[in-house]
Amino acid sequence: MRVRWDVDVLPHLWLWQEFGATTGHPWWGRAYVMGLEPFAGYPTDGLAAAVANGTALTLEPHARRSLWLRAAVIEEGL
């Protein structure tokens, strides 16, 4: 799979993992997954931290923000 996105809006890539260690909500110890997720603000421990370090996305009232994202399945041998 190939994924491309607008790095002007989402300049970071977060690698996250859940390998059964979260025994409470929402996984209950049953999730065994890994993901790559484009994102704007860091660190990934909440909006307040991203606001504090200036990486949170902001919008004025009634404003819009657009971005592009493309995903494609790459066939074997291509």
Side-chain angles (χ1 to χ4, degrees):
M1 172 144 239
R2 176 184 298 146
V3 180
R4 296 176 173 177
W5 66 92
D6 189 344
V7 296
D8 291 330
V9 179
L10 303 173
H12 308 285
L13 183 65
W14 178 24
L15 166 65
W16 59 268
Q17 303 169 357
E18 176 55 51
F19 296 144
T22 303
T23 57
H25 176 79
W27 310 120
W28 310 113
R30 296 180 293 196
Y32 196 84
V33 296
M34 182 175 74
L36 293 170
E37 183 176 343
F39 73 107
Y42 64 86
T44 58
D45 61 351
L47 180 58
V51 169
N53 68 29
T55 62
L57 288 179
T58 59
L59 292 174
E60 296 298 322
H62 306 287
R64 294 181 184 201
R65 181 175 297 248
S66 298
L67 65 95
W68 57 268
L69 176 80
R70 294 184 183 100
V73 175
I74 301 171
E75 295 183 39
E76 187 176 334
L78 294 179

